[in-house]
Amino acid sequence: MGKILGIVNQKGGVGKTTTAINLASCLALNGLKILLVDCDPQANATSGIGFPRDDERHSIYDVLTGDATAKEVLLPTQVENLTLLPGSKNLTGANIELANAEDRALRLHKVLEPLQGEYDLIVLDCPPALDLLTLNSLSAADSLIVPMQAEYFALEGISELVSTLERVRASFNPRLTIEGVLLTMYDDRTNLAQQVTETLREFFKERLFKTVIPRNIRLAEAPSHGKPVALYDPRSRGTEAYFELAAEYMERNNIPNPKAEARKAAAAEAAAAGKTSKTVRFWPYG
């Protein structure tokens, strides 16, 4: 059964949606079957993966309110192995419409549970707020990645998030853990970035990802073309960084890398064929 991974930070502009899109895409390109769920009313993950805004299209909002099933709303993407459960601006209303429902914090969990067996991983792009939609995401997730910039305001925000996680664990989801903290828009030339990195390493220890996501113009450009950076510019620093993050995530969770294993097998086969060819070729002269 596939895990549910939330990409969460109540602070906006930290590369949360960029991480959700590109981590999901890189994992899919490595051969894992991935579902990306856009839980944000801004629906940036939906447009960033290639689906323009469409008020008539069903979204996760319709699933949460019971007007559609998840399977009716799923969309195949241009990335092999990656499926999207799209968001929409209507999600803003869900905060109000679900407020008095008895299961208001568990709607998303109930929606995603039947889908877990069909995917290796479900990635949630959470809203930049600690509202009912985020509470649903935290209640559904098994673990979280927290993207953040290397600045002091981010340190204050993450302490608030950790406090929220403790309350969610106690009330709704005791299995919830922080998978790791990811530094984004990183510039290691500044003293501030290095100081914040050291502070985070002291507090989170091994949960701070070794991979850092650099400031990269291709990462900023890709969403306007409706593509993950791996399709927009496969050779960019941003693409390299997110493939490294995908590899680190799989290694942490002991998830086999299908594409890497296929490449190793092909290389071994080619090497064996080359050795055989060389032996046959030079045998008369041996």
Side-chain angles (χ1 to χ4, degrees):
M1 180 176 289
K3 284 178 61 176
I4 300 178
L5 173 67
I7 312 297
V8 61
N9 193 326
Q10 78 275 17
K11 191 175 187 298
V14 296
K16 179 178 53 59
T17 299
T18 297
T19 295
I21 291 172
N22 290 297
L23 175 59
S25 297
C26 288
L27 289 168
L29 290 168
N30 271 313
L32 301 184
K33 193 173 182 183
I34 306 296
L35 173 62
L36 174 61
V37 184
D38 189 350
C39 303
D40 189 345
Q42 298 177 78
N44 288 334
T46 299
S47 59
I49 205 69
F51 294 93
R53 298 185 189 278
D54 181 358
D55 294 338
E56 301 301 318
R57 182 176 58 222
H58 282 309
S59 71
I60 184 66
Y61 166 80
D62 300 286
V63 181
L64 291 174
T65 56
D67 293 331
T69 65
K71 290 192 175 182
E72 291 174 335
V73 179
L74 295 177
L75 298 172
T77 72
Q78 59 197 309
V79 180
E80 185 181 4
N81 298 319
L82 178 61
T83 303
L84 174 71
L85 189 51
S88 76
K89 65 179 183 181
N90 294 330
L91 278 169
T92 302
N95 280 310
I96 300 171
E97 294 171 37
L98 299 179
N100 295 320
E102 290 185 6
D103 61 346
R104 58 185 176 275
L106 300 172
R107 286 288 181 97
L108 185 60
H109 171 72
K110 293 178 179 179
V111 165
L112 296 179
E113 193 172 26
L115 298 175
Q116 284 185 265
E118 301 180 24
Y119 296 93
D120 295 308
L121 184 70
I122 297 175
V123 178
L124 310 180
D125 181 32
C126 304
L130 294 177
D131 57 10
L132 184 56
L133 291 172
T134 301
L135 179 59
N136 265 268
S137 299
L138 296 179
S139 298
D142 296 298
S143 62
L144 305 172
I145 288 178
V146 184
M148 61 176 291
Q149 292 179 261
E151 57 183 35
Y152 283 116
F153 284 140
L155 292 177
E156 294 178 0
I158 206 165
S159 64
E160 183 180 346
L161 177 62
V162 170
S163 176
T164 301
L165 298 187
E166 293 299 335
R167 293 196 295 271
V168 171
R169 280 196 198 102
S171 302
F172 302 107
N173 184 4
R175 70 187 183 282
L176 183 64
T177 61
I178 293 181
E179 178 83 34
V181 173
L182 174 68
L183 288 170
T184 58
M185 306 179 203
Y186 193 74
D187 185 351
D188 60 5
R189 296 172 299 178
T190 67
N191 290 332
L192 176 60
Q194 295 176 22
Q195 290 168 8
V196 172
T197 300
E198 286 305 313
T199 300
L200 288 170
R201 187 172 288 115
E202 290 174 9
F203 184 78
F204 287 103
K205 298 181 172 57
E206 70 280 356
R207 285 187 294 175
L208 180 66
F209 280 101
K210 296 176 183 177
T211 303
V212 298
I213 308 301
R215 287 193 179 275
N216 180 249
I217 189 63
R218 296 307 192 195
L219 282 173
E221 292 174 347
S224 66
H225 294 268
K227 294 182 178 181
V229 71
L231 297 188
Y232 177 65
D233 187 349
R235 298 187 178 186
S236 70
R237 289 180 64 212
T239 298
E240 181 181 346
Y242 275 108
F243 270 117
E244 287 179 5
L245 178 62
E248 185 174 354
Y249 176 82
M250 287 187 283
E251 183 179 356
R252 284 185 177 206
N253 290 274
N254 298 313
I255 300 173
N257 186 328
K259 287 291 176 70
E261 291 181 357
R263 286 193 295 269
K264 286 181 182 178
E269 185 177 341
K275 182 177 180 180
T276 302
S277 175
K278 182 176 180 180
T279 302
V280 172
R281 180 180 178 185
F282 290 106
W283 177 255
Y285 309 100

